[in-house]
Amino acid sequence: MAEHFKRPTRFSNDWFARVEGDVDPAVRLQLASETAQALLARVRSGADPEVVERIVRIARDDGIDTVAELWSHARPHSLPGALWRVNLLHALVTQRAVESALLYQQGADALPTAAPVVAGVAAPATPEELRALSETILRGVFSGDFALALERAAAFATVTAAGAVEAAHIDESTHPQRASERTRLAASLTDIAGDLRVCARMWRSESLV
């Protein structure tokens, strides 16, 4: 079910593996915080629609991998940690769109919760709708209600994780390797969803830095 990526990516086959480097950890964490704050401050200053659209276009077409590598080492419950997780979800949607749509729909069908409503994707989910959702979340991060954007991203991750679990059960007897990959994906997405929900609460209490 895996599709070819539109362009090379810095993410490994383990989509949620941390990027290691030779930068001093303390310096790296400081840079992560400073770049995250600077990016939001720059884009949110007056919420210039052209600036927001340019950032969204960069994320969509080229990714923001260079800066995001710094964010990958940040604490999960921090501003750069939240931006890293949003960036991971955006990359998953844009680079594995068909698979993401199928998993999301499976999760939406299986979950008896309001998560699909919070995420806001019409059924049946399509790759185009998931890309639109991802861009809506990015716009919310840079110009709208930041906490709400994080909650929508968390809901998307929750639904897709449920779909990955369902797909893993189906694949278990016939495609055990793919089942294992989807089980790991579900676990990572569940962790991301939980972290983003915490970050949303911290943002509302003005404690997310």
Side-chain angles (χ1 to χ4, degrees):
M1 186 178 295
E3 58 181 337
H4 294 295
F5 296 152
K6 180 179 179 182
R7 54 183 291 122
T9 174
R10 293 178 185 270
F11 296 125
S12 66
N13 288 333
D14 181 356
W15 277 76
F16 301 99
R18 289 183 174 274
V19 181
E20 297 297 334
D22 57 2
V23 180
D24 179 83
V27 174
R28 184 168 54 229
L29 291 178
Q30 181 180 356
L31 286 173
S33 179
E34 290 175 351
T35 55
Q37 293 178 32
L39 178 59
L40 284 188
R42 171 68 182 89
V43 177
R44 284 175 170 271
S45 179
D48 185 333
E50 291 186 5
V51 175
V52 174
E53 288 304 313
R54 186 158 62 249
I55 293 295
V56 171
R57 186 168 60 251
I58 290 171
R60 180 183 63 230
D61 296 339
D62 301 308
I64 49 177
D65 295 344
T66 301
V67 176
E69 284 178 3
L70 290 172
W71 299 342
S72 71
H73 297 272
R75 291 177 292 106
H77 305 155
S78 66
L79 180 57
L83 293 180
W84 168 245
R85 283 154 180 76
V86 170
N87 186 59
L88 279 177
L89 295 178
H90 181 72
L92 177 65
V93 168
T94 55
Q95 298 178 18
R96 294 169 63 173
V98 173
E99 180 183 10
S100 295
L102 290 173
L103 295 180
Y104 180 91
Q105 188 58 55
Q106 283 181 283
D109 292 339
L111 278 179
T113 70
V117 177
V118 175
V121 177
T126 66
E128 292 72 24
E129 286 168 342
L130 288 194
R131 290 189 188 100
L133 169 65
S134 186
E135 293 190 11
T136 297
I137 290 171
L138 284 176
R139 290 189 183 93
V141 165
F142 295 125
S143 65
D145 185 328
F146 186 66
L148 180 59
L150 296 184
E151 287 170 346
R152 292 191 71 180
F156 164 76
T158 295
V159 176
T160 307
V165 170
E166 293 294 316
H169 288 161
I170 294 172
D171 287 338
E172 192 170 5
S173 59
T174 55
H175 299 92
Q177 181 176 352
R178 188 167 65 184
S180 296
E181 291 172 355
R182 285 175 168 170
T183 298
R184 289 194 297 271
L185 176 63
S188 295
L189 287 170
T190 299
D191 288 343
I192 285 176
D195 289 335
L196 289 175
R197 282 192 288 269
V198 171
C199 289
R201 291 195 298 270
M202 293 176 67
W203 178 263
R204 288 197 170 100
S205 65
E206 299 184 349
S207 60
L208 188 70
V209 294

